[in-house]
Amino acid sequence: MKKTKTHEIKKILIANRGEIALRIIRACRDMGIKSVAVYSTADKDSLHVKLADESVCIGPAPAKDSYLDQAAILTAALLTNADAIHPGYGFLSERTDFIKKVEEHKLIFIGPTALQVDRMGDKVNAKLTAKECGLPVIPGSDGSVDTLEDALDVAEKCGYPVLLKAAAGGGGKGIRPVYSPDEMEDAFTATKREALNGFGDDKLYMEKLLTHPRHIEFQVLADQYGDVVIFGERDCSIQRNRQKVIEEAPAVCLTDKQRDDMIEVCRESIKKMGYQNAGTLEFLYQDGEFYFLEMNTRIQVEHPATEMIYDVDLISEQIRVAMGEKLRFKQKDLKSNGHAIEFRINAEDPETFVPSAGTVTAYQTPGGLGVRIDAAAYSGWRIPPNYDSMVAKLIVWAPTRTECIRRSQRALDEYVIEGVHTTIPLQQRLLANEDIQACDYDNLWLEKKLKDEWKKK
């Protein structure tokens, strides 16, 4: 047996904001670890600043001058004598240059290594690595498509329709469908431009466009000694502009055999990668087949849905892995219980989706058995216009999916956020829909509803 080498962590700087910063602060308190919040001037009254043991202002409102300012964050960590940095999700969580700087300053990065992020963060590298490690992949280019001629050649081999995708992309951006050769030139030029402007890298790759897929992802946790567990799967198929709106665990569209088989495929692939800490393997699922989509080398927004059915604190487990501890459970020990649904509550108009920054004049959360709120909002808080519009997550658990939907409807009805528009009415509308209740939808379902049946009169 390999001897474990532990590194004590007494204080963690959280390089993030909002609900994920609060989530990490609470995990730290449960573990007896001190927390340091960083904040921009726009976030000086935010809850994560109020609840952390220490806080440091790192710059003005624009993210590039604060939450993306690596020097400011590292300086804050050193000045407060932090032992480690937790990046949360977004911002610097998958920046290999930042991870290397953290390690150079003798700090612990709570996440995978820079090499692992580099292999799986770039979409082209990730697909090649996934294929090498035995994951099923979508037909498409073996690497990047660098010229229009390359793009036309690969599309002809795959068969139309196809997707052009930015290799450094994320968040549903830098993606464009192409349905015929006549569309390729304009699509290729536009996607390259969008990739360069959005991500600083115009490299593209191509995949076959699946016409009715579901988005199924598997939660990964691995230690530094080669032990890997997969905490089942989440169904994230309710999406708008490729942004997730509702996530469920488990995915009721899968059979037990499909689930068990994919858990084993994912475990073996992660072992071959030599990956460590938390991550998520994402797949498109259509007609009984899985196709690797990407890997998120960090904790995800929707991790609470998995926590609810496995009774596990994934943030605490991330910290333990970063300290050099071995996983405390084996795959055979993991048993899911019941059903969980997570709702992203955004400060947006529920029909036009225009962001709704402003002051929250009233705030009342739902309660009761199986209801959890991960939120940055409170009465009197001014939502800044500078960042992502998500202000809260409602996570609901119940023994069955039917009971979970009913409990979720009750919880959404109880949830009061006044002073700004939110997407709560959209979530209520979704749960009342027969297709949602019957689990009869795919990734494109919500887009079609919004475009056709639900468009504003």
Side-chain angles (χ1 to χ4, degrees):
M1 177 184 292
K2 293 181 180 178
K3 187 176 180 180
T4 60
K5 181 181 179 182
T6 58
H7 310 277
E8 187 176 15
I9 294 178
K10 294 182 179 180
K11 185 185 289 188
I12 295 173
L13 180 136
I14 301 154
N16 218 299
R17 64 178 298 278
E19 63 84 18
I20 189 59
L22 283 167
R23 172 72 187 84
I24 299 166
I25 289 168
R26 288 168 174 148
C28 287
R29 286 200 171 180
D30 288 348
M31 298 178 73
I33 296 172
K34 297 292 185 181
S35 60
V36 180
V38 295
Y39 65 97
S40 72
T41 53
D43 275 336
K44 63 183 177 64
D45 295 321
S46 293
L47 273 181
H48 77 286
V49 178
K50 297 175 184 292
L51 294 185
D53 294 296
E54 300 176 56
S55 60
V56 179
C57 182
I58 54 170
K64 66 181 178 62
D65 299 320
S66 51
Y67 297 107
L68 292 173
D69 187 334
Q70 299 183 24
I73 289 170
L74 288 166
T75 300
L78 296 172
L79 288 175
T80 57
N81 295 312
D83 305 300
I85 293 179
H86 196 306
Y89 53 74
F91 292 132
L92 299 172
S93 61
E94 293 178 287
R95 289 281 298 270
T96 56
D97 56 340
F98 178 65
I99 299 171
K100 290 174 182 176
K101 289 175 185 176
V102 170
E103 294 169 348
E104 287 169 3
H105 285 81
K106 309 302 181 186
L107 298 168
I108 297 170
F109 182 79
I110 301 175
T113 66
L115 177 61
Q116 292 161 353
V117 173
D118 188 53
R119 290 182 73 193
M120 301 309 292
D122 179 278
K123 304 300 187 293
V124 173
N125 289 343
K127 186 174 180 181
L128 293 173
T129 301
K131 196 171 182 179
E132 290 170 2
C133 293
L135 292 173
V137 298
I138 303 171
S141 59
D142 291 328
S144 60
V145 287
D146 301 320
T147 66
L148 176 61
E149 290 70 27
D150 290 341
L152 288 166
D153 184 52
V154 174
E156 185 178 349
K157 291 175 182 176
C158 289
Y160 290 91
V162 295
L163 277 178
L164 280 170
K165 305 178 76 173
K173 297 179 175 63
I175 301 175
R176 190 169 272 98
V178 185
Y179 295 93
S180 71
D182 294 340
E183 299 177 11
M184 184 62 76
E185 183 173 2
D186 288 345
F188 185 78
T189 302
T191 311
K192 258 191 170 308
R193 182 173 58 248
E194 184 178 334
L196 183 62
N197 292 339
F199 310 106
D201 184 349
D202 70 351
K203 187 164 59 176
L204 305 181
Y205 68 108
M206 186 182 292
E207 291 178 345
K208 174 72 176 173
L209 174 60
L210 303 179
T211 55
H212 55 280
R214 294 181 81 113
H215 185 125
I216 308 293
E217 59 188 33
F218 289 80
Q219 177 65 56
V220 170
L221 187 66
D223 64 21
Q224 300 173 18
Y225 311 97
D227 291 328
V228 178
V229 292
I230 308 295
F231 286 94
E233 82 289 347
R234 299 182 287 258
D235 187 335
C236 308
S237 302
I238 301 299
Q239 302 181 7
R240 174 185 166 271
N241 288 344
R242 297 186 176 88
Q243 296 280 345
K244 299 165 187 173
V245 176
I246 293 176
E247 298 100 354
E248 300 189 44
V252 296
C253 61
L254 302 184
T255 66
D256 289 341
K257 185 177 187 310
Q258 287 174 322
R259 176 177 297 109
D260 292 343
D261 288 349
M262 277 306 294
I263 284 175
E264 194 55 34
V265 167
C266 290
R267 282 188 71 233
E268 289 303 314
S269 71
I270 292 297
K271 286 182 178 181
K272 289 178 183 177
M273 288 178 202
Y275 188 85
Q276 64 189 46
N277 215 278
T280 306
L281 289 170
E282 303 198 357
F283 298 87
L284 293 178
Y285 172 76
Q286 180 172 299
D287 301 327
E289 298 291 334
F290 286 91
Y291 303 96
F292 175 77
L293 179 62
E294 64 181 357
M295 183 174 187
N296 285 304
T297 53
R298 52 172 168 77
I299 200 70
Q300 282 193 275
V301 176
E302 57 270 27
H303 76 273
T306 297
E307 292 183 325
M308 295 290 271
I309 65 170
Y310 280 96
D311 191 24
V312 63
D313 183 334
L314 289 170
I315 302 294
S316 294
E317 297 306 327
Q318 278 193 290
I319 296 170
R320 290 189 174 93
V321 168
M323 288 195 291
E325 294 184 13
K326 290 181 67 68
L327 292 182
R328 300 186 295 164
F329 22 69
K330 301 293 184 183
Q331 189 67 46
K332 61 182 176 60
D333 300 324
L334 303 184
K335 305 294 181 186
S336 67
N337 177 39
H339 196 87
I341 306 177
E342 177 175 310
F343 304 87
R344 300 192 187 196
I345 309 300
N346 293 348
E348 297 174 352
D349 185 290
E351 294 195 47
T352 65
F353 302 103
V354 173
S356 181
T359 300
V360 177
T361 57
Y363 185 76
Q364 178 64 50
T365 59
L369 183 66
V371 175
R372 166 178 167 180
I373 302 291
D374 284 15
Y378 62 90
S379 183
W381 176 51
R382 183 183 178 280
I383 300 172
N386 313 87
Y387 313 111
D388 185 89
S389 61
M390 188 178 71
V391 295
K393 299 183 310 197
L394 167 65
I395 310 101
V396 180
W397 177 92
T400 67
R401 185 174 188 268
T402 299
E403 292 171 288
C404 193
I405 288 175
R406 191 178 302 125
R407 182 173 288 172
S408 297
Q409 289 172 320
R410 187 264 296 170
L412 286 165
D413 289 345
E414 290 180 11
Y415 207 162
V416 176
I417 304 177
E418 295 181 353
V420 295
H421 295 294
T422 75
T423 52
I424 289 175
L426 172 66
Q427 303 284 15
Q428 293 171 314
R429 196 173 190 179
L430 287 170
L431 283 194
N433 186 272
E434 292 180 357
D435 291 343
I436 298 292
Q437 294 182 4
C439 204
D440 182 18
Y441 51 81
D442 57 28
N443 290 13
L444 310 175
W445 181 89
L446 180 55
E447 288 286 348
K448 292 174 182 175
K449 285 289 182 185
L450 292 172
K451 182 178 179 181
D452 301 328
E453 298 176 36
W454 292 2
K455 63 184 176 182
K456 197 171 184 178
K457 304 297 183 185

